[in-house]
Amino acid sequence: MSPLVLFALFALLLVLAVPIAFSLGIASVLPTVFDPNFAVSAKYLIRSMVSGLDSFPLLAIPMFILSGILMARGGISKRLFDIFSYFFGHRTAGMPCAVIVTCLFYGAISGSAPATVAAVGSMSIPILLSLGYEKNFITSVVAVAGGLGVIIPPSIPFIMYGMASGSSVSDLFIAGIIPGLLIGGILMIYVYIHCRIHGEDRERIDAEMDRLHARGFRSVFREGFLSLLCPVIILGCIYSGITSPTEAAAISVFYALIISIFFYRTLTWRDLPSLLGEAVRTFAPLLFLLAVSTAFSRVLTLMEVPQTLSLRLADGIENPILLLLLLNAFLLLVGMVMDTTPAILILTPILLPIIAAVGMDPIHFGVILVVNLAIGFVTPPVGVNLFVASSLTDIPIMTIVKHALPMIFCFLLALLLLTFIPSLSLALL
């Protein structure tokens, strides 16, 4: 069976709105159905699915998901926002910048872009609306800044890429620090320019800041200290070598439980069954998707798709700059129509031989891949952040996209810098 026919049938299944996990499963068995001599049996596919889940690093994903849910329900994001508002609020664009910094810190807790949008947006959007900011503007800021949740470590997509490529998850986490800060900085420059042009209601903002400052720095910092400490503990354990990312994820769950129940008293033991159920409902589809993606990638390997594609690209495009630009354009297109997890699991074994041919470090490529897919969170038709932000504000998705376009271009500018300046990703390794 021709690989082109296989991908055409896979695309057809997606167009027919067949769930992507089932589409991958069907595509995995099609070569055997059309060619009985193809060396893949049902037993082999099942073994591939099971072995795809037999991974210690994979355990970090449900742990970070549960940790993010516990901290969202426990009011962590509100306390983080108060601290950053205390320092930024009196400055031009200080409150939108506080939202972006809160997304950076919450991303260092949850590792998920949609979770970051939901947790930070549900808390910050009503506050900024009361301060006179335009609803479409602040909603688009939250939607785009939420994409930082998958770039700043710990990042679930980095874990998935590490599994698919064999790269060190800890190295990927370290490589994501500078890119995340770079993108966050560029976004803050944009919101500063926007607020200078369109103005702010300084009277209302200053009144709110006066109330916050009246509480005193000690009070604000004391309430938010444990929230700030969470990413420090998680990342400190990983980077110091004390724990693996999986063990740090487990620590983050217990930390979230302890501070939410015993210190902040925002959760009770009776809340745990519903929170665990929410975590299972979030992770179970990812688990099945991971299993069938592993089987599909092994079928592609047996069909020699990665090798053939890399050879044709290497022979057809001799200019490495042009090749990198085409790869980015392809990944941006994939991010617009496919969710992050299947995109990483499907594309990584295909693209790794190509980036090896141009001498790119796999860690560097992992950062580029994740940043491309992060842009996909705010581009239709599958932009998950857009759906989450729209559900929070009842603003139509295309309206959010319209106001988010300048920030998406900021993301693209950062992507070009990360692509052609590898040291931005590799300097800390």
Side-chain angles (χ1 to χ4, degrees), residues 5-24:
V5 175
L6 178 63
F7 279 107
L9 293 173
F10 176 60
L12 177 62
L13 291 171
L14 296 178
V15 170
L16 294 175
V18 178
I20 191 166
F22 291 105
S23 298
L24 286 169

Side-chain angles (χ1 to χ4, degrees), residues 98-168:
V99 171
I100 294 172
V101 177
T102 305
C103 287
L104 280 167
F105 269 75
Y106 194 82
I109 296 171
S110 70
S112 166
T116 301
V117 174
V120 178
S122 60
M123 170 275 306
S124 64
I125 291 175
I127 295 175
L128 268 69
L129 290 178
S130 69
L131 298 178
Y133 287 96
E134 202 267 327
K135 189 176 184 180
N136 292 331
F137 166 67
I138 198 59
T139 303
S140 64
V141 169
V142 172
V144 176
L148 297 170
V150 297
I151 302 171
I152 286 291
S155 162
I156 292 174
F158 277 146
I159 297 172
M160 304 304 298
Y161 175 79
M163 290 181 56
S165 65
S167 301
S168 166

